[in-house]
Amino acid sequence: MNSDLSYLQVRDIGEQGILERLQRFCPPEIIGDDAAVLAITAQESLVVTTDMLVDGVHFSDITTSPEDTGWRASAANLSDLAAMGAFPLGITVGLGLPGDLAVSWVERLYQGMTECLQKYNVPILGGDIVRSPITTLAITAFGQANPNFIIRRSTAQVGDAIIVTGIHGASRAGLELLLNPQICQNLESEEKAALIKAHQRPNPRLDVIPILQEIFTSPCPISISGMDSSDGLADAVLQICRASRVGAILEQSKIPLPSAFHKWLTPGQWLHPPQAWLNYALYGGEDFELVLCLPPPAALTLVQKLGAGASIIGTITPGLTVILHHENERIPDQALSLSQGFQHFS
Amino acid sequence: MNSDLSYLQVRDIGEQGILERLQRFCPPEIIGDDAAVLAITAQESLVVTTDMLVDGVHFSDITTSPEDTGWRASAANLSDLAAMGAFPLGITVGLGLPGDLAVSWVERLYQGMTECLQKYNVPILGGDIVRSPITTLAITAFGQANPNFIIRRSTAQVGDAIIVTGIHGASRAGLELLLNPQICQNLESEEKAALIKAHQRPNPRLDVIPILQEIFTSPCPISISGMDSSDGLADAVLQICRASRVGAILEQSKIPLPSAFHKWLTPGQWLHPPQAWLNYALYGGEDFELVLCLPPPAALTLVQKLGAGASIIGTITPGLTVILHHENERIPDQALSLSQGFQHFS
């Protein structure tokens, strides 16, 4: 491999820099969403997404069992399909395995993958197994969508309500509990277990898609924009706004947090949650919830149908900034930026 | 990662052993072909195949430029689609990249991939780029097939003619020339270049599929069984026979070899080609030709349509052995076995 330091190296420009340079090799119309869309017939589109996971970078036996690594890998890919409004058809699995890896590790990985997939009736359609010095997992998931009902990042409209499903920050908090088991002594063990489970066994929100389809078609078609919150809530809103050339205002108090966060804080603190918890919700990622932008009446219908499972957290605005607003006027508005999110290369 | 030696390790049972243990996680009907088939509608099936390629295991800058690594990776996946009788729709690309890899290496890889793909009008439908200690490439290719015309390994019939497209052994000979440039001094430089090109820029035989479809449907449907010869001609025939529970007899003299092999040998040797050349053709692999079994009249039609581009090399027989027969009766028949082929784990 060429390691001449006089060359521009991958670490110099990072994942985003490489992606930008490779875009010229891809059809422009398929870039920029959680998954690619390919028209098959007038009624059917194929939706495809792929993820690479590398031992020590994306998973680790220290915090995650092989079963949970398998579950999370499946869930992440199914979540990308849900983010596009697609129903899953199947996945393929590529495995790079060191010779000294325990066979039981591989079986336990598959056990976890299928536990997640079976919940959504998704088959593993084969794959490839090769020798590699580092355990590597490449999952490609494909789904089917109605070409007229595909959720994209680039179609958010000024005035749309911003809805999130579920709660945010739980996965990151669960990871923190795994890394530092001594913290949060005042939480019940069930509360800790729920946060840890949110990290280890996240659920892709495929259950929301039929409900969205219903709203989409009745009484007349509306525009639904969105993506999943796999890289954090802030990232999702910022990506949607950038792709749609709009801005947003988010109400900090409306961001749904795990109830255990509440218990951990004194009542006085609850209105001003410590920055750490807000960071978990905004930047923690891996909650695999949906962030959707749709006209306010449709948004209200969705909230009615999902009950406590969805929250309107803000509004799409003109301009290009994403503002976090607090109902306490003494707390200044905060502009969010992508640079606060995770960087994959360092 | 668990490296306790008391456990059964990946190297103890190899790629095949792992695959067998993981089969219980996959639907049984989709196992055993070059690609998985998923029914979408009565008229359309989705065909999916995936490959992992690891630096130092599957490619190397010593023998292969990044452009050629890209071309070969694309070609291998398109060949798997051709082997199923499918037309390609697109590919996804997962990349694991070390931080010190030259960005130009990645761009040149993509250049080679797209040079191959553009020949068949196949788009790259996005992918994933992650940090990894070792350069890793995961390609998933998608194709579309008529559910009534899918080429499988398991449907060969006793009496079928065995046809191969193209020539065999050229890719392996080209690799040998790259590894040992000093050999074969008596070959013209064009002949060497042709063998090297067969290794660096193999062509998936998607061109054969429309011709096969024509034969398949006229005058009445016939059975076509087969796969590609990516792991060698012997492997392909053995895999088809095992899946179809039949045997085969191959005529050694009918196996189409590169014409440059002829020139290298003395006339007397030509009827008894050195074992090395036969091994290249039978076990060398990566020629990405098709090995097909079909009724003799249809086989003759195919040979007429493809001209010198196809050869009948044998017949499907009862029993389970694959025999290599020489027209010189003093040379004993040889039973072929999968264990003579490449083993991916050592």
Side-chain angles (χ1 to χ4, degrees):
Chain A
M1 203 60 27
N2 197 328
S3 57
D4 183 339
L5 292 177
S6 70
Y7 285 92
L8 187 66
Q9 294 180 330
V10 166
R11 68 159 65 91
D12 299 329
I13 60 172
E15 179 192 20
Q16 275 305 318
I18 300 275
L19 274 175
E20 279 161 26
R21 279 172 178 251
L22 297 181
Q23 281 188 4
R24 65 190 160 98
F25 297 106
C26 302
E29 69 276 13
I30 61 108
I31 290 167
D33 280 298
D34 289 73
V37 180
L38 197 68
I40 303 287
T41 69
Q43 287 77 42
E44 294 293 345
S45 284
L46 180 66
V47 179
V48 186
T49 178
T50 195
D51 265 344
M52 292 276 279
L53 301 166
V54 178
D55 184 22
V57 180
H58 305 94
F59 60 90
S60 158
D61 278 357
I62 298 164
T63 55
T64 315
S65 69
E67 289 88 345
D68 290 338
T69 296
W71 177 292
R72 283 163 53 82
S74 292
N77 278 274
L78 296 186
S79 181
D80 280 335
L81 295 181
M84 302 292 293
F87 294 95
L89 292 168
I91 71 165
T92 62
V93 183
L95 285 177
L97 303 176
D100 64 356
L101 182 68
V103 170
S104 62
W105 191 93
V106 187
E107 291 179 304
R108 291 173 62 191
L109 177 84
Y110 261 66
Q111 183 62 40
M113 276 199 292
T114 46
E115 277 169 18
C116 178
L117 294 170
Q118 277 167 2
K119 221 178 135 175
Y120 305 96
N121 210 17
V122 180
I124 298 177
L125 296 173
D128 195 18
I129 298 176
V130 301
R131 181 157 53 96
S132 170
I134 186 103
T135 306
T136 307
L137 182 55
I139 295 191
T140 301
F142 33 98
Q144 201 170 11
N146 179 333
N148 302 312
F149 173 72
I150 286 174
I151 302 170
R152 295 187 185 276
R153 298 181 187 179
S154 58
T155 58
Q157 306 286 325
V158 172
D160 277 355
I162 303 170
I163 288 195
V164 294
T165 62
I167 54 175
H168 277 80
S171 174
R172 184 63 186 78
L175 175 61
E176 199 62 32
L177 287 169
L178 285 165
L179 293 170
N180 301 300
Q182 77 285 0
I183 63 168
C184 307
Q185 299 290 349
N186 58 327
L187 288 188
E188 303 290 335
S189 57
E190 297 77 29
E191 290 170 320
K192 287 187 179 183
L195 292 173
I196 288 170
K197 194 176 177 200
H199 179 72
Q200 291 174 331
R201 300 257 161 167
N203 289 303
R205 299 309 302 266
L206 289 162
D207 57 305
V208 179
I209 305 308
I211 298 167
L212 279 178
Q213 282 203 324
E214 216 175 279
I215 294 172
F216 172 76
T217 50
S218 166
C220 57
I222 54 157
S223 158
I224 301 179
S225 179
M227 61 180 285
D228 74 357
S229 65
S230 53
D231 289 331
L233 175 54
D235 173 82
V237 176
L238 286 160
Q239 296 280 7
I240 292 166
C241 287
R242 188 163 69 167
S244 301
R245 299 174 182 279
V246 293
I249 184 156
L250 303 180
E251 297 295 337
Q252 186 176 305
S253 62
K254 299 281 172 62
I255 295 172
L257 302 172
S259 60
F261 283 18
H262 190 191
K263 191 176 170 191
W264 198 354
L265 303 165
T266 63
Q269 279 186 302
W270 179 237
L271 289 178
H272 315 282
Q275 195 61 34
W277 293 121
L278 191 61
N279 279 348
Y280 286 179
L282 288 173
Y283 303 113
E286 304 198 331
D287 290 304
F288 298 109
E289 295 292 342
L290 297 180
V291 180
L292 302 163
C293 304
L294 56 180
L300 286 171
T301 308
L302 181 59
V303 168
Q304 279 162 11
K305 285 181 187 278
L306 286 176
S311 317
I312 297 176
I313 63 161
T315 304
I316 295 295
T317 57
L320 299 172
T321 52
V322 176
I323 301 294
L324 186 65
H325 176 256
H326 199 284
E327 55 189 0
N328 183 334
E329 288 180 0
R330 285 178 302 176
I331 299 176
D333 285 352
Q334 184 187 346
L336 303 183
S337 85
L338 281 177
S339 61
Q340 289 166 271
F342 284 134
Q343 290 294 310
H344 288 290
F345 281 96
S346 55
Chain B
M1 203 59 28
N2 198 327
S3 58
D4 183 338
L5 293 177
S6 70
Y7 286 92
L8 188 66
Q9 293 179 331
V10 166
R11 69 158 65 92
D12 299 328
I13 61 172
E15 180 193 19
Q16 276 304 320
I18 299 275
L19 274 175
E20 280 162 26
R21 280 172 178 251
L22 297 181
Q23 281 187 4
R24 66 190 158 98
F25 297 107
C26 302
E29 69 277 12
I30 62 105
I31 291 168
D33 281 299
D34 289 73
V37 180
L38 198 67
I40 302 288
T41 69
Q43 287 77 43
E44 295 293 345
S45 284
L46 181 66
V47 179
V48 186
T49 178
T50 195
D51 264 344
M52 291 276 279
L53 301 165
V54 178
D55 184 23
V57 181
H58 305 95
F59 60 90
S60 159
D61 279 357
I62 299 165
T63 55
T64 314
S65 69
E67 289 89 344
D68 290 338
T69 295
W71 176 292
R72 284 162 52 82
S74 292
N77 278 274
L78 296 185
S79 181
D80 280 335
L81 295 181
M84 302 293 292
F87 294 94
L89 292 168
I91 71 164
T92 61
V93 183
L95 285 177
L97 304 176
D100 65 354
L101 182 69
V103 170
S104 62
W105 191 94
V106 187
E107 291 179 304
R108 291 172 63 191
L109 177 85
Y110 261 66
Q111 183 62 39
M113 276 199 292
T114 47
E115 277 168 18
C116 177
L117 294 170
Q118 277 167 1
K119 221 177 135 175
Y120 306 96
N121 211 16
V122 180
I124 296 177
L125 299 173
D128 194 20
I129 298 177
V130 300
R131 181 157 53 97
S132 171
I134 186 104
T135 307
T136 306
L137 182 57
I139 295 191
T140 301
F142 299 88
Q144 201 170 10
N146 179 332
N148 301 312
F149 174 72
I150 286 173
I151 302 170
R152 295 187 184 276
R153 299 181 186 179
S154 58
T155 59
Q157 306 287 324
V158 172
D160 276 356
I162 302 169
I163 287 194
V164 294
T165 61
I167 54 174
H168 277 81
S171 174
R172 183 64 186 77
L175 175 62
E176 198 63 31
L177 287 168
L178 286 165
L179 293 170
N180 301 299
Q182 77 287 0
I183 63 168
C184 308
Q185 298 290 349
N186 60 327
L187 287 188
E188 303 290 335
S189 57
E190 296 78 28
E191 291 169 320
K192 287 187 180 182
L195 291 173
I196 288 170
K197 194 175 178 201
H199 178 72
Q200 290 174 331
R201 301 257 162 167
N203 289 302
R205 298 309 303 267
L206 288 162
D207 58 305
V208 179
I209 305 309
I211 299 167
L212 279 178
Q213 282 203 324
E214 214 174 279
I215 294 171
F216 172 76
T217 49
S218 164
C220 57
I222 55 155
S223 158
I224 300 179
S225 179
M227 62 179 285
D228 75 355
S229 65
S230 52
D231 289 332
L233 175 54
D235 172 83
V237 175
L238 286 159
Q239 296 280 6
I240 292 167
C241 287
R242 188 163 70 168
S244 300
R245 298 174 182 278
V246 294
I249 184 158
L250 303 179
E251 297 294 338
Q252 186 175 307
S253 61
K254 300 283 173 60
I255 295 172
L257 302 173
S259 60
F261 283 17
H262 190 191
K263 192 178 169 190
W264 197 355
L265 303 164
T266 63
Q269 279 186 302
W270 180 238
L271 288 177
H272 315 282
Q275 195 60 35
W277 294 121
L278 191 61
N279 280 347
Y280 285 0
L282 288 173
Y283 302 112
E286 303 199 333
D287 290 303
F288 298 110
E289 297 291 342
L290 297 180
V291 181
L292 302 164
C293 305
L294 56 180
L300 287 170
T301 307
L302 181 60
V303 168
Q304 279 162 10
K305 284 181 187 278
L306 287 176
S311 317
I312 297 176
I313 62 161
T315 305
I316 295 294
T317 57
L320 299 172
T321 54
V322 175
I323 300 294
L324 187 66
H325 176 257
H326 199 285
E327 56 189 1
N328 183 333
E329 288 181 2
R330 284 179 302 177
I331 299 176
D333 286 352
Q334 186 187 343
L336 304 182
S337 84
L338 282 177
S339 61
Q340 288 166 273
F342 284 132
Q343 291 293 311
H344 288 289
F345 281 95
S346 56

